[in-house]
Amino acid sequence: MRPLQLAYVLTLAAVSGLGSAYAMLGERIPFQRVLAGPWEASPRAHAPDADAYARAIMTQRTHLPLGIGEGLALTAFADGEGRRLTSDCDYQITGLTPPARGWTLTLARPNEPLRAGPGDRIAFADAELTRNELGAVNITLSAQPTPGDWLPLPDIGPFRLVLRLYDTPVSGTARELTARDLPDVRRIGCR
Amino acid sequence: MIRAAQTSSPTIWRAQPRPRAGFMARAGRAGARIVYLTLCGLVLGAIIHIVTILSVPWLARNDAAARFAELGAEGKAQHIDSIVANDGAGPVVDLDPATAVAACGYDLTEGPMRVTARTGATPLAISILPRGGGVAYAITDRAAIRGVIDFVLLTPAQLADRAGREDDGEAARELRVTLPKMQGLIVARALARRPADRAEADMLVADVICGGAD
């Protein structure tokens, strides 16, 4: 094989091999996802029999996952109609949450947490929220202050929402979750 | 593979005088050569992809079990915040800002470890993260007996040894958790559902005791 041909083969191998590996190691676990409406979870990602991609993602950066029995973390990257969540738009999160000892709803960047300065609100815990007569929450995400439970949306572009349910019976049966069991994420307008 | 490539090497790559082949035939051979080399590159790329993905858990130095392994050397869990803020290895990707988290490294080569935690008003959970990823075990304060979570971490061999040392007919009154790896991390997590609960959550996780079992 000529040097030029060898160089072509090796370059192609390095670029395709390392590039595809890097592309698979985002924050999103590629396989065995549980989908329910806009929410997704990967309860198997940290099980002893997790696949190689989940293992690589969980160890390449610092993760402290919730064990099954400890809780369940659900993430929304898009609204109920499948459009990417972005800070250019306002959102309303309404509905019931599964039974849990406590839960939190947190804003995060797609691949990392959001750093909050002192006094910045980037999350709600369930005890801080109001509910209607059916027990449903109604949270508004907007850059502008709104009445009711308002989660200020900083100008961060695309973002994700993380719903963490602590000590919940659904963590063992996450596969049976449907969109009706979880709050809806609705886009109410864009700037 | 390399020898085969050389013997079948077409004219286009050589500057030797040869009988002139037709333009179409030469273009066809060059095209076949490029396809062949591309396939070689992609197969090698697939191998590199698999090796990379499989080696990440063993080469990683920023996973929680490695990064926080030094915590808890004094026999008590310590808050992870100071390490996260100071070691420059980036934030904990999936940390809930409403939780207080303390950790304790374990190494079973020195014998079994006992974990004891006092429960309080805020939800508390303890999970075990062995080296190499995954959660081996998780327990919440619902499993506490008289306000105390208490269990022993050991290897299968240490379990057999411990069971063998018991007196006949006397059942062991401790929860034993066998682990697949010698090293890992004990993580205590308490949820502050209101800002006012924060102080108690911080205190609960820092009060977790992790020391030798005997």
Side-chain angles (χ1 to χ4, degrees), chain A residues 43-107:
Chain A
R44 306 296 304 160
H46 39 74
D49 58 349
D51 63 74
Y53 291 101
R55 263 173 202 280
I57 290 169
M58 299 308 280
T59 51
Q60 68 152 354
R61 294 202 285 162
T62 316
H63 280 83
L64 289 170
L66 295 174
I68 294 174
E70 190 181 3
L72 180 70
L74 296 138
T75 308
F77 291 89
D79 67 7
E81 290 170 51
R83 294 170 297 201
R84 197 94 179 66
L85 295 178
T86 163
S87 63
D88 293 335
C89 297
D90 294 349
Y91 298 91
Q92 200 168 24
I93 299 163
T94 51
L96 296 167
T97 53
R101 279 243 331 264
W103 55 263
T104 60
L105 181 77
T106 312
L107 283 175

Side-chain angles (χ1 to χ4, degrees), chain A residues 8-10 12-14 16, chain B residues 36-46:
Chain A
Y8 170 68
V9 169
L10 292 182
L12 180 63
S16 66
Chain B
Y36 169 71
L37 291 174
T38 304
L39 281 178
C40 284
L42 291 179
V43 169
L44 199 56

Side-chain angles (χ1 to χ4, degrees), chain A:
Chain A
M1 206 182 276
R2 296 295 149 90
L4 190 66
Q5 301 176 30
L6 190 64
Y8 170 68
V9 169
L10 292 182
T11 309
L12 180 63
V15 169
S16 66
L18 295 175
S20 59
Y22 181 77
M24 291 296 273
L25 297 181
E27 177 59 11
R28 234 161 155 168
I29 310 274
F31 305 117
Q32 296 194 314
R33 276 205 297 253
V34 174
L35 301 172
W39 302 98
E40 61 181 60
S42 301
R44 306 296 304 160
H46 39 74
D49 58 349
D51 63 74
Y53 291 101
R55 263 173 202 280
I57 290 169
M58 299 308 280
T59 51
Q60 68 152 354
R61 294 202 285 162
T62 316
H63 280 83
L64 289 170
L66 295 174
I68 294 174
E70 190 181 3
L72 180 70
L74 296 138
T75 308
F77 291 89
D79 67 7
E81 290 170 51
R83 294 170 297 201
R84 197 94 179 66
L85 295 178
T86 163
S87 63
D88 293 335
C89 297
D90 294 349
Y91 298 91
Q92 200 168 24
I93 299 163
T94 51
L96 296 167
T97 53
R101 279 243 331 264
W103 55 263
T104 60
L105 181 77
T106 312
L107 283 175
R109 289 177 191 274
N111 276 316
E112 59 179 23
L114 195 59
R115 271 165 223 260
D120 289 351
R121 176 177 280 288
I122 59 161
F124 268 121
D126 63 319
E128 301 171 308
L129 293 165
T130 56
R131 282 153 216 269
N132 70 8
E133 64 279 12
L134 297 171
V137 295
N138 185 349
I139 305 164
T140 309
L141 269 69
S142 172
Q144 303 303 321
T146 55
D149 291 322
W150 169 53
L151 195 52
L153 203 50
D155 188 16
I156 50 172
F159 69 95
R160 70 190 152 108
L161 281 167
V162 188
L163 177 66
R164 292 189 179 87
L165 307 165
Y166 289 93
D167 207 347
T168 171
V170 301
S171 64
T173 55
R175 244 158 234 300
E176 278 140 52
L177 278 176
T178 63
R180 279 187 308 158
D181 302 321
L182 295 163
D184 186 29
V185 182
R186 202 157 49 84
R187 190 153 108 178
I188 49 176
C190 292
R191 274 175 282 133

Side-chain angles (χ1 to χ4, degrees), chain B:
Chain B
M1 186 186 80
I2 290 171
R3 192 179 304 156
Q6 274 174 343
T7 52
S8 66
S9 181
T11 57
I12 182 162
W13 302 97
R14 281 189 192 161
Q16 297 166 1
R18 284 206 169 193
R20 278 181 68 89
F23 173 75
M24 290 304 288
R26 276 196 297 162
R29 275 204 298 272
R33 185 76 181 158
I34 288 169
V35 169
Y36 169 71
L37 291 174
T38 304
L39 281 178
C40 284
L42 291 179
V43 169
L44 199 56
I47 295 169
I48 290 175
H49 175 95
I50 292 167
V51 170
T52 307
I53 295 289
L54 290 179
S55 60
V56 167
W58 308 109
L59 299 177
R61 288 290 168 270
N62 284 337
D63 65 299
R67 192 171 169 194
F68 303 131
E70 302 300 311
L71 291 179
E74 308 287 312
K76 251 184 145 188
Q78 290 170 294
H79 285 278
I80 61 165
D81 310 13
S82 61
I83 288 195
V84 173
N86 296 324
D87 74 352
V92 176
V93 178
D94 52 6
L95 188 66
D96 187 340
T99 55
V101 182
C104 207
Y106 68 78
D107 188 349
L108 299 181
T109 52
E110 293 151 26
M113 291 271 282
R114 179 181 292 277
V115 181
T116 310
R118 191 177 55 79
T119 63
T122 66
L124 172 74
I126 295 175
S127 50
I128 309 298
L129 276 59
R131 279 266 165 96
V135 180
Y137 182 72
I139 188 169
T140 71
D141 54 7
R142 278 182 205 243
I145 298 167
R146 283 190 283 277
V148 175
I149 304 173
D150 179 62
F151 57 97
V152 174
L153 302 177
L154 26 63
T155 62
Q158 288 164 348
L159 174 67
D161 182 47
R162 213 170 165 80
R165 276 191 286 132
E166 279 164 14
D167 294 333
D168 287 335
E170 192 187 320
R173 289 176 189 275
E174 63 183 15
L175 177 60
R176 291 166 179 174
V177 180
T178 58
L179 295 175
K181 303 260 164 57
M182 283 295 194
Q183 284 96 19
L185 197 68
I186 300 157
V187 179
R189 190 173 349 223
L191 173 67
R193 293 173 67 222
R194 294 173 202 83
D197 293 342
R198 186 78 206 188
E200 184 179 2
D202 278 337
M203 201 180 66
L204 273 185
V205 295
D207 268 357
V208 173
I209 298 162
C210 40
D214 299 304

